Amino acid sequence: MPCESRHLLLYLPLFRLERCGWSAEDQVVLVGERAGVPRVLALSKGADDLGLKVGMSLSQARAMAPDIQAELLDQPAETGDLSDLARQLEPISPRITCLPPDTMVAGLSPRPGPWSSSLEQREWALIDKVRHRMAYLGHQCRLVAAQDLYAARVLAAWSPEDRVIPSGALARALRPLPLQALAMPSSLLERLTALGLKSIGDLADLPAAAVGGRFGPQAVLFHRIARGQSQSLPIPNSMAEPDFARQQVLPFAIDTLEPLLFVLNRMLADLCESMEQACRAMVRLQLRLDLDGSSSMYFSFRTGKPTRDPSMLSRLLMRRLDGVTLHALVTAVALRASHHVPYQGLQQELPGIRLGSAQSAPCATPPTHYTSVGPGVAANPPGNEPSGPPTFRADPDQLAQLLAMLADTLGPGVLCSPAPRDTWRPECAWEPSEPLSGPQAGLLSGGGSASESSAGSFPGRGLRTSHENSFQKGTYKPDPAWVHESWIRRLPLARPALLLDEPRPIQVEPSSGGGVARLRSGRVWLRILHQDGPEYLSGEWWDQPFQRSYWVLGLEDGRLLWVYRERGHFFIHGFFDQDDWPEPARVIATVGDGPSAPR
């Protein structure tokens, strides 16, 4: 007969208050914030005698007992005290595991062969040692030695005394306990109690096939525990993050998307309601379709911004599932908010005002007026049209949804925005960052918020290094290293919209005035119609020094090139948009390699 793993579970019903100096007779509750509301997490026997219950709000508790004492939860200190308490038991059992907030588990040495009185006596002796040690440290406890860890936690919480459960006797020990002792989800508990089930024994008497067919796989797990069959379920933890998920077994198989979306809309409404009660909002939604006789289909959707709006999520699902082909009949569906964040809601924008904009400050040009319109629609209502061209509003919500859709289609890590880096070398002067800035940054990758990027972080639209920003803001401070890096006059176009990964060597023909007359493109020589420059860039003397003179060249075919000369050779480094050229054609200076020494 194989060895059976056994556990000694130590349950501390008053530990969360005892560690703060309270006793069982005191009228005190432990309070912690849940969904933005202070709620009772634990209570003493004296508070229980007053009719207070775990889960009620603090205001409800004080309405029932005005003189009740409240202890504020300090979770890190509580977890640390539980770990310190576990170390006190190491001389008795070196294999101690903490299960916050009020449980510890010690592994017992298994012994092969049938149940023997010597093994039972040894476990009772260990229970006596642990109880005496806990009493010496000032803690009440209940101990259960059993084969299944989850069942042991149930017995410890609901039995009035210590227990040693022999192998094969677990179902008999659980049978008289109430059904809520299994700590199953409230929705499942309500469905079972509606059938008249009151105890764990009533659940164990049901046929396994009927439980699975009517209540799903989750009910099967608790049915196995009720029958004393070992099952690896996590011990209930009141500090765990809520899991927002919904599952529905379809009464009949579905082969088209229209009835499937009808079922999903009802599930989304229920899921969003529970998230609203918990002050959470989802950032990523997962969908699973169970197919008849085939493997399940999985979909993952980014919302683009934190939301719990079922109508918006319904439209999102409809767009994402458009064009999906079902290879078999759908028998069950499941929704889960795989990534959710704290969320208190957003205030709606008022007509003519954009939240967070300082429009009351005096300015030379009239402020832009915003109304709730979509992209490409004039934002000023009729009768209030300002002089000049109409203003437009780029809806940030639609932008976030568009980026989320692109990220789902193209894959994670594909979308990015360039952010400036602290270097003068152009090909290394940017790095990829989140495509959104502000509070929505980081949501496309499922992570947290990223730091806000610079307003001019797009190449060719005012990208500047930190050195140049200090000059522009007037906050320049001498730096010993800056004497080795220099630039002389900025070009009218800061950086090209298209920057080549590797500069490409080209052939040029100098003009009589010292500029560039022609440039060779393939086998064709093209005339230079206008040019501007030079802009001298140099630096990195400590690693790979460079010294370049950059020019903007306008070709006769309409292209605008960003070229530089280094060590007597010319290179194309990027291309500008044709509409970017701000001034008439002119030649500023002679094309050369730059100053003799960096300035």
Side-chain angles (χ1 to χ4, degrees), residues 275-551:
M275 300 194 75
E276 184 175 1
Q277 295 174 357
C279 294
R280 311 285 293 187
M282 70 178 69
V283 174
R284 187 190 292 262
L285 178 66
Q286 286 184 347
L287 169 64
R288 189 188 78 236
L289 303 180
D290 294 338
L291 304 181
D292 184 22
S294 180
S295 58
S296 300
M297 298 177 66
Y298 294 88
F299 304 89
S300 180
F301 308 126
R302 296 172 176 86
T303 63
K305 67 171 186 175
T307 184
R308 52 173 179 253
D309 181 5
S311 60
M312 192 277 281
L313 293 171
S314 177
R315 294 192 300 269
L316 176 68
L317 280 178
M318 189 179 303
R319 287 197 300 264
R320 304 295 175 87
L321 293 178
D322 186 25
V324 173
T325 302
L326 299 177
H327 304 289
L329 297 177
V330 180
T331 59
V333 294
L335 286 174
R336 178 173 176 267
S338 58
H339 181 204
H340 49 87
V341 297
Y343 186 72
Q344 298 295 337
L346 294 178
Q347 181 179 352
Q348 297 296 321
E349 294 182 6
L350 300 176
I353 299 176
R354 183 180 183 182
L355 298 179
S357 62
Q359 295 189 5
S360 59
C363 55
T365 57
T368 302
H369 298 275
Y370 295 88
T371 55
S372 299
V373 295
V377 180
N380 295 286
N384 294 322
E385 295 86 352
S387 59
T391 56
F392 294 86
R393 176 191 174 189
D395 191 340
D397 294 345
Q398 295 189 13
L399 174 62
Q401 295 176 25
L402 173 61
L403 293 177
M405 184 181 300
L406 290 174
D408 285 334
T409 305
L410 302 177
V414 175
L415 297 181
C416 70
S417 291
R421 291 182 58 195
D422 193 9
T423 179
W424 287 95
R425 189 183 294 269
E427 58 266 33
C428 305
W430 69 278
E431 59 187 356
S433 64
E434 290 291 343
L436 293 176
S437 62
Q440 294 178 353
L443 300 183
L444 296 182
S445 58
S449 296
S451 60
E452 294 191 9
S453 59
S454 172
S457 60
F458 193 84
R461 298 295 186 269
L463 180 66
R464 297 183 177 91
T465 65
S466 60
H467 302 302
E468 297 171 302
N469 285 329
S470 65
F471 278 105
Q472 184 187 29
K473 298 176 182 178
T475 58
Y476 167 76
K477 295 181 179 180
D479 189 314
W482 285 15
V483 299
H484 302 282
E485 302 175 337
S486 64
W487 54 273
I488 302 176
R489 78 172 302 276
R490 292 305 306 264
L491 295 175
L493 305 181
R495 293 292 182 267
L498 177 60
L499 191 68
L500 300 180
D501 292 337
E502 292 289 338
R504 193 168 65 206
I506 56 173
Q507 288 182 300
V508 299
E509 178 182 309
S511 64
S512 57
V516 178
R518 295 195 305 170
L519 179 147
R520 183 172 182 177
S521 176
R523 297 182 179 181
V524 180
W525 285 88
L526 300 175
R527 290 185 300 116
I528 306 298
L529 299 184
H530 47 254
Q531 54 189 290
D532 200 346
E535 175 190 8
Y536 297 111
L537 296 180
S538 62
E540 300 185 8
W541 54 268
W542 59 91
D543 185 13
Q544 296 180 348
F546 70 96
Q547 184 173 329
R548 302 173 181 173
S549 55
Y550 277 87
W551 294 76

Side-chain angles (χ1 to χ4, degrees), residues 100-282:
D102 51 18
T103 305
M104 292 184 289
V105 176
L108 299 177
S109 299
R111 166 170 290 216
W115 179 265
S116 61
S117 59
S118 60
L119 180 58
E120 183 178 3
Q121 292 173 357
R122 188 164 61 250
E123 290 182 349
W124 274 115
L126 183 59
I127 287 177
D128 290 338
K129 288 183 180 180
V130 175
R131 171 168 292 282
H132 288 132
R133 184 62 176 171
M134 288 291 103
Y136 174 77
L137 297 173
H139 294 286
Q140 298 183 21
C141 66
R142 281 198 292 271
L143 297 105
V144 174
Q147 181 179 346
D148 184 74
L149 191 57
Y150 191 92
R153 177 61 171 79
V154 172
L155 289 169
W158 288 83
S159 296
E161 56 187 10
D162 300 336
R163 304 286 297 272
V164 173
I165 310 300
S167 178
L170 191 57
R172 186 169 62 253
L174 291 171
R175 190 172 185 84
L177 299 181
L179 194 60
Q180 58 265 32
L182 289 177
M184 61 180 62
S186 58
S187 58
L188 178 59
L189 179 62
E190 291 174 359
R191 296 173 65 188
L192 292 175
T193 53
L195 297 179
L197 304 183
K198 297 181 179 179
S199 67
I200 296 179
D202 295 339
L203 177 61
D205 292 338
L206 296 179
V211 172
R214 185 165 184 176
F215 302 103
Q218 192 175 34
V220 174
L221 298 179
F222 290 102
H223 183 261
R224 289 176 56 85
I225 294 175
R227 289 191 167 187
Q229 300 170 350
S230 181
Q231 194 68 39
S232 57
L233 280 180
I235 289 181
N237 185 354
S238 60
M239 306 304 298
E241 280 289 325
D243 184 23
F244 298 100
R246 294 295 183 270
Q247 184 172 349
Q248 178 68 50
V249 178
L250 302 179
F252 53 89
I254 293 178
D255 58 353
T256 58
L257 288 177
E258 184 175 356
L260 180 62
L261 290 173
F262 177 78
V263 176
L264 291 175
N265 288 340
R266 298 183 59 184
M267 296 174 64
L268 278 175
D270 187 28
L271 183 62
C272 291
E273 182 180 358
S274 63
M275 300 194 75
E276 184 175 1
Q277 295 174 357
C279 294
R280 311 285 293 187
M282 70 178 69

Side-chain angles (χ1 to χ4, degrees), residues 460 491 493-498 551-553 558-563 574-580:
L491 295 175
L493 305 181
R495 293 292 182 267
L498 177 60
W551 294 76
V552 178
L553 304 181
R559 286 182 295 169
L560 290 176
L561 308 184
W562 198 45
V563 303
F575 298 87
F576 291 97
D577 292 334
Q578 296 183 13
D579 296 334
D580 282 343

Side-chain angles (χ1 to χ4, degrees), residues 21-32:
W22 301 100
S23 63
E25 292 74 21
D26 294 326
Q27 297 179 353
V28 59
V29 294
L30 180 70
V31 178

Side-chain angles (χ1 to χ4, degrees), residues 536-537 547-549 551 564-570 590-596:
Y536 297 111
L537 296 180
Q547 184 173 329
R548 302 173 181 173
S549 55
W551 294 76
Y564 71 87
R565 183 177 183 178
E566 187 176 27
R567 298 186 179 90
H569 300 282
F570 282 85
T590 303
V591 177
D593 282 332
S596 57

